[in-house]
């Protein structure tokens, strides 16, 4: 069947919207109209998938509130590497820590496979995520596998993470300084924000972030591996313990952005009230989506997240 040239143009336009991480579909804009057409018209969906495939991209999904979610095929010009996190200037140990943080975010937010099928609000907070990764280090260190495998690299990352300070204060400004793991967590979450895989939640504190459907779909596409499962096991155990404790009354929900689920306001000092299906206790300000097989720039600096999240498609941000 011949596809009209107008449909090819529209398909390419929708792929372009999907590559712009700052673009948001609405009922009234062109992005929203093309997205709805993709969701309801089989012929147009096939055209979009074909255009994306020719560019080395794969369409993972098209949630109404997030838009077209794209991953990359091996060797794609749109592939993003962990080395890009700091413009290619990351040291090998920093790459390992960043990779383990991405794994930690995936396990913290989605401890069960079924969590990857839902659209519940997932919230992470810098200090809480850092504590979670540290609590899971012994289990990650116990992983078997050759040093050059994904699990072997995760084990090496856990060793680096354990010997790095959790928090170093800045000289004058609040927040963690470079050289501690909380800074690495904050940096990775900020990187996810830039790629449309997370957004900041200033109403819950400067260190709180909400993961988007983009992150969920990218993790779901490739979730697996012993390192991720080790982290998820720790998260499931922590969640079981927390569920046995008394639960404070829920606080009123904070206003939500158009097309997004409402995020409850803080309930008690030091805790953030989140939906029962959200990520769990969120420590107060003390500030992942996607990411994606975030491959390392060189084998010696391989990033353990490579088996968890695909190379994230990206272009220069809006």
């Amino acid at each position: 069947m011949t596809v009209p040239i107008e449909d090819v143009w529209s398909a390419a336009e929708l792929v372009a919207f999907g590559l712009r991480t700052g673009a948001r579909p609405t009922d009234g804009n062109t992005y929203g109209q093309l997205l709805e057409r993709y969701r309801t018209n089989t012929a147009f969906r096939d055209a979009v998938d074909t255009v994306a495939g020719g560019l080395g991209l794969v369409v993972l999904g098209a949630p109404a509130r997030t838009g077209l979610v794209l991953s990359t095929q091996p060797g794609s010009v749109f592939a993003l590497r962990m080395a890009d996190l700091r413009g290619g200037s990351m040291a090998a140990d920093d790459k390992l820590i960043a990779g383990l943080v991405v794994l930690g975010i995936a396990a913290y937010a989605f401890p069960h496979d079924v969590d990857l099928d839902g659209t519940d609000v997932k919230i992470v907070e810098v200090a809480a995520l850092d504590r979670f990764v540290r609590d899971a280090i012994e289990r990650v260190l116990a992983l078997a596998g050759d040093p050059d495998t994904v699990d072997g690299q995760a084990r090496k990352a856990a060793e680096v993470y354990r010997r790095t300070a959790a928090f170093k204060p800045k000289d004058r400004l609040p927040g963690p300084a470079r050289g501690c793991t909380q800074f690495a967590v904050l940096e990775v979450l900020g990187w996810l924000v830039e790629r449309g895989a997370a957004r900041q939640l200033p109403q819950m504190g400067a260190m709180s972030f909400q993961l988007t459907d983009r992150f969920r779909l990218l993790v779901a596409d490739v979730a697996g591996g012993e390192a991720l499962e080790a982290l998820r096991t720790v998260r499931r155990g922590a969640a079981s313990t927390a569920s046995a404790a008394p639960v404070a009354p829920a606080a009123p929900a904070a206003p939500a952005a158009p097309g997004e689920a409402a995020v409850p306001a803080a309930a008690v000092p030091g805790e953030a009230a989140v939906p029962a299906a959200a990520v769990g206790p969120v420590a107060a300000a003390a500030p992942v989506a996607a990411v994606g097989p975030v491959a390392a720039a060189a084998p010696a600096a391989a990033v353990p997240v490579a088996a968890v999240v695909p190379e994230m498609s990206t272009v220069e941000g809006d």
Side-chain angles (χ1 to χ4, degrees), residues 14-276:
L14 180 56
V15 171
F17 276 122
L19 287 168
R20 295 189 197 121
T21 54
R24 298 288 294 277
T26 66
D27 291 339
N29 66 13
T30 302
Y31 189 5
Q33 293 166 358
L34 290 172
L35 187 70
E36 179 61 20
R37 189 176 171 192
Y38 179 88
R39 290 158 60 90
T40 58
N41 186 312
T42 301
F44 183 66
R45 182 165 60 249
D46 290 343
V48 172
D49 291 347
T50 299
V51 169
L55 293 171
L57 301 169
V58 178
V59 179
L60 298 183
R65 66 182 182 181
T66 299
L68 201 69
V69 179
L70 300 166
S71 180
T72 60
Q73 299 172 5
S76 171
V77 67
F78 296 106
L80 182 71
R81 294 176 178 272
M82 187 64 79
D84 298 329
L85 183 58
R86 286 187 202 156
S89 63
M90 291 185 77
D93 283 357
D94 291 339
K95 291 176 185 176
L96 287 168
I97 289 176
L100 188 60
V101 168
V102 177
L103 273 176
I105 294 171
Y108 189 79
F110 309 105
H112 305 89
D113 288 340
V114 68
D115 296 328
L116 293 166
D117 296 326
T119 57
D120 298 315
V121 174
K122 300 294 183 181
I123 299 169
V124 294
E125 188 274 335
V126 168
L129 184 65
D130 180 61
R131 286 194 299 271
F132 163 67
V133 174
R134 289 186 176 278
D135 288 343
I137 280 178
E138 293 303 322
R139 188 175 287 269
V140 177
L141 288 173
L143 293 173
D146 186 86
D148 293 330
T149 65
V150 170
D151 292 334
Q153 289 296 311
R155 191 170 60 247
K156 183 177 179 181
E159 293 172 350
V160 176
Y161 205 101
R162 182 169 61 178
R163 67 171 183 259
T164 303
F167 181 80
K168 288 173 57 177
K170 293 181 179 178
D171 291 338
R172 294 183 176 84
L173 300 174
R178 181 169 294 188
C180 67
T181 54
Q182 286 192 25
F183 178 87
V185 172
L186 181 59
E187 188 173 38
V188 169
L189 286 167
W191 182 59
L192 295 184
V193 170
E194 292 174 0
R195 269 70 195 177
R199 61 178 55 91
Q200 283 191 286
L201 294 176
Q203 68 269 35
M204 295 185 67
M207 301 292 175
S208 296
F209 295 78
Q210 176 185 343
L211 303 176
T212 67
D213 285 335
R214 186 183 300 273
F215 183 82
R216 176 181 62 82
L217 288 171
L218 284 162
V219 172
D221 183 52
V222 289
E226 294 300 319
L228 177 62
E229 187 54 34
L231 288 158
R232 291 172 106 184
T233 298
V234 173
R235 179 61 178 153
R236 288 193 292 265
S240 298
T241 302
S243 65
V247 180
E260 292 295 330
V263 179
V268 294
E271 293 291 327
V274 297

